Amino acid sequence: MASVALFVVLLLTVAAAVDGKEKETHIKVYWHDVVSGASPTAVPVARAATTKASKSFFGAVYVIDDALTEGPGLGSSALLGRAQGTYVSAGKDALALLMNMNFVFTAGRYNGSSVAIMGRNEVATAVREMAVVGGTGVFRWARGYAQARTHTFDLKTRDATVEYNVFIRHQ
Ligand SMILES: *[C@@H]1O[C@H](CO)[C@@H](O)[C@H](O)[C@H]1NC(C)=O
């Protein structure tokens, strides 16, 4: 009998912790992938022997520390944080990246918090959806999704600006 009561109490405690207090946050940032110039923020660190001959760059690995800004202008818009992590060209036939990155906020209301994003990014597609798999700070217990839309892609430099809309449920 006592164990049943304890079980009910535990159940109520868990329900109370999960219920009601969860917030939903929408963040829009611009992600700047700079591969050109003297100070790139996305650098190739590895590739397969066959990557150069592959149309989809299959096997290439990049490390990124890309700026996240409020508006689309890299020099002109407020810096909100950095996207730090890697992307891997993981599609053998189509250009599809595996994104694995933390959005680390360094200004604004989320300063000091981070969101972990992991997902497939088929870059030629208009809208790409990736999973939010966790977070820290105000984004503890985070889950959700991110949608990426290419804002600009410079064919000459191969630098890209991508709009990210991140929808997060968290504590
Ligand atoms: C962000 O937080 C850090 C640590 O608390 C602080 O030093 C810094 O001034 C903050 N930056 C902005 C732009 O608010």
Side-chain angles (χ1 to χ4, degrees):
M1 217 51 199
S3 67
V4 171
L6 183 64
F7 178 72
V8 170
V9 169
L10 279 176
L11 210 62
L12 288 173
T13 309
V14 170
V18 172
D19 208 48
K21 283 187 186 155
E22 206 176 51
K23 299 182 190 80
E24 190 161 327
T25 299
H26 168 214
I27 297 172
K28 180 180 165 182
V29 289
Y30 288 86
W31 176 98
H32 300 274
D33 204 47
V34 179
V35 296
S36 69
S39 185
T41 60
V43 290
V45 294
R47 67 171 188 227
T50 51
T51 295
K52 272 222 151 153
S54 161
K55 270 195 300 193
S56 61
F57 306 102
F58 180 58
V61 181
Y62 281 72
V63 172
I64 63 167
D65 186 355
D66 285 347
L68 298 173
T69 58
E70 195 170 20
L74 177 55
S76 57
S77 184
L79 184 71
L80 294 180
R82 319 282 313 180
Q84 299 179 335
T86 58
Y87 57 74
V88 178
S89 193
K92 188 145 167 48
D93 299 316
L95 180 54
L97 305 177
L98 166 64
M99 311 295 291
N100 189 3
M101 58 189 171
N102 285 310
F103 278 15
V104 183
F105 296 97
T106 54
R109 56 203 284 219
Y110 309 120
N111 186 9
S113 298
S114 73
V115 173
I117 293 173
M118 186 179 181
R120 181 171 184 267
N121 183 4
E122 191 172 349
V123 296
T125 306
V127 184
R128 293 88 70 184
E129 193 163 305
M130 292 158 240
V132 168
V133 295
T136 66
V138 301
F139 299 119
R140 282 177 184 167
W141 302 105
R143 64 207 161 86
Y145 63 97
Q147 289 182 327
R149 292 172 176 81
T150 301
H151 182 265
T152 48
F153 178 69
D154 188 319
L155 284 168
K156 214 157 116 193
T157 63
R158 310 199 75 76
D159 292 348
T161 297
V162 178
E163 179 188 319
Y164 269 81
N165 283 278
V166 190
F167 300 87
I168 310 156
R169 287 194 184 156
H170 55 99
Q171 200 178 50

